[in-house]
């Protein structure tokens, strides 16, 4: 799948190079619909990389169709509730879907789906402020997942987003190595790429637009992080009441 260096190289060439990169996306997308590899996590990582480039986002949007409904349904088909029951979930998937929907500027068509992705992302957040790479690595926080989560929160800007973003940025700062880079054993991304993501994420959390992609999206104020978390806690309490006390043996 294309990484950031390949995308930047395509941007420095002509439009046909960008089209080739989008061809890769659709080639992988056709495979995943047949329940073969790459996984939805692989697709999410690829989509996030594509949508950090305005040129790639525009080309991708044109290829998917001019209507917002087409783009929204496409992302939901890849990352929504239809996911395989035996496939691990990851905050990268939720964050990448949010980021892609906002960068393609079709948020008004996907409020319910967006709320679900945001809730899922927040539910995976640790008390230390970071995010794990996947369910199977929940005890080990990930620089990659945390940086992407901050990207998603920063481009979406729901009410109350700054607190979790700043906590995540503080955790990222603790992961800076003596060599001056960020690393991640789970994502299989290069140290250079991770360092760019981490620095961008920290700047975004601190309210700076000194980042390596164009971030001029309108905030989505109708979503409230504290409300989503409270709503989730209420649902869990109601479910606990319905189950009743644990049986005594």
């Amino acid at each position: 799948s294309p990484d950031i260096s390949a995308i930047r190289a395509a941007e420095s060439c002509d439009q046909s190079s960008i089209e080739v990169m989008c061809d890769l996306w659709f080639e992988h997308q056709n495979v995943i619909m047949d329940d073969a590899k790459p996984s939805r996590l692989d697709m999410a990582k690829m989509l996030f990389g594509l949508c950090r480039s305005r040129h790639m986002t525009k080309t991708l949007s044109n290829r998917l169709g001019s209507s917002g409904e087409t783009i929204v349904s496409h992302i939901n088909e890849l990352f929504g509730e239809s996911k395989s029951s035996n496939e691990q979930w990851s905050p990268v998937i939720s964050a990448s879907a949010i980021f892609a929907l906002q960068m393609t500027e079709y948020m008004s068509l996907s409020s319910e789906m967006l709320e679900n992705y945001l809730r899922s992302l927040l539910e995976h957040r640790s008390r230390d402020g970071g995010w794990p790479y996947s369910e199977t690595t929940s005890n080990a926080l990930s620089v990659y997942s945390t940086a992407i989560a901050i990207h998603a929160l920063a481009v979406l800007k729901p009410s109350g987003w700054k607190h979790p973003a700043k906590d995540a940025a503080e955790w990222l700062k603790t992961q800076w190595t003596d060599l001056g880079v960020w690393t991640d054993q789970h994502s299989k991304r290069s140290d250079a790429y991770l360092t760019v993501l981490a620095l961008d994420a920290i700047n975004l959390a601190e309210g700076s637009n000194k980042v390596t992609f164009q971030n001029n999206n309108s905030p989505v104020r109708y979503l409230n992080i504290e409300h989503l978390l409270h709503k989730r806690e209420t649902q869990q309490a109601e479910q606990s009441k319905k189950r009743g006390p644990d049986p005594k043996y």
Side-chain angles (χ1 to χ4, degrees), residues 157-171:
K157 293 184 177 66
S159 179
W161 74 275
K162 289 185 178 180
H163 178 67
K166 286 183 177 180
D167 284 350
E170 289 303 313
W171 179 83

Side-chain angles (χ1 to χ4, degrees), residues 42-55:
D42 293 329
M43 289 297 295
K45 290 160 67 175
M46 184 175 180
L47 181 63
F48 174 79
L50 289 173
C51 288
R52 275 176 53 87
S53 161
R54 280 290 182 183
H55 293 295

Side-chain angles (χ1 to χ4, degrees), residues 94 98 112 114-124 228-229 231-232 235:
S94 300
I98 291 170
E112 182 178 355
L114 179 64
E115 181 176 329
N116 291 336
Y117 285 132
L118 181 57
R119 183 185 297 109
S120 174
L121 179 64
L122 295 172
E123 287 173 355
H124 283 87
L228 289 178
L229 292 176
K231 184 177 179 180
R232 176 62 178 173
Q235 290 174 341

Side-chain angles (χ1 to χ4, degrees), residues 4-107:
I4 194 67
S5 58
I7 292 171
R8 295 297 185 233
E11 287 183 333
S12 66
C13 300
D14 54 19
Q15 182 64 27
S16 62
S17 300
I18 298 177
E19 293 287 349
V20 170
M21 299 297 289
C22 279
D23 286 341
L24 285 174
W25 159 260
F26 284 100
E27 179 181 332
H28 283 290
Q29 172 254 305
N30 290 332
V31 172
I32 198 172
M33 291 308 179
D34 295 328
D35 292 328
K37 296 219 172 170
S39 66
R40 281 179 171 79
L41 178 53
D42 293 329
M43 289 297 295
K45 290 160 67 175
M46 184 175 180
L47 181 63
F48 174 79
L50 289 173
C51 288
R52 275 176 53 87
S53 161
R54 280 290 182 183
H55 293 295
M56 296 296 290
T57 303
K58 183 178 180 180
T59 302
L60 184 64
S61 298
N62 290 338
R63 292 283 293 274
L64 285 170
S66 58
S67 70
E69 290 90 343
T70 303
I71 295 174
V72 170
S73 62
H74 185 81
I75 292 175
N76 194 38
E77 188 174 7
L78 285 174
F79 307 127
E81 295 301 324
S82 61
K83 67 185 179 70
S84 173
S85 60
N86 61 358
E87 185 176 0
Q88 67 175 353
W89 195 245
S90 167
V92 173
I93 295 175
S94 300
S96 295
I98 291 170
F99 188 79
L101 287 168
Q102 179 68 325
M103 295 301 284
T104 50
E105 299 175 347
Y106 288 111
M107 303 304 301

Side-chain angles (χ1 to χ4, degrees), residues 164-206:
K166 286 183 177 180
D167 284 350
E170 289 303 313
W171 179 83
L172 277 180
K173 291 176 183 178
T174 68
Q175 303 304 302
W176 191 39
T177 69
D178 292 338
L179 295 176
V181 299
W182 276 263
T183 63
D184 190 302
Q185 61 178 326
H186 302 293
S187 66
K188 297 181 180 179
R189 290 297 191 252
S190 70
D191 293 353
Y193 179 60
L194 289 168
T195 299
V196 170
L197 287 187
L199 290 173
D200 276 3
I202 291 170
N203 281 337
L204 289 168
E206 294 176 349

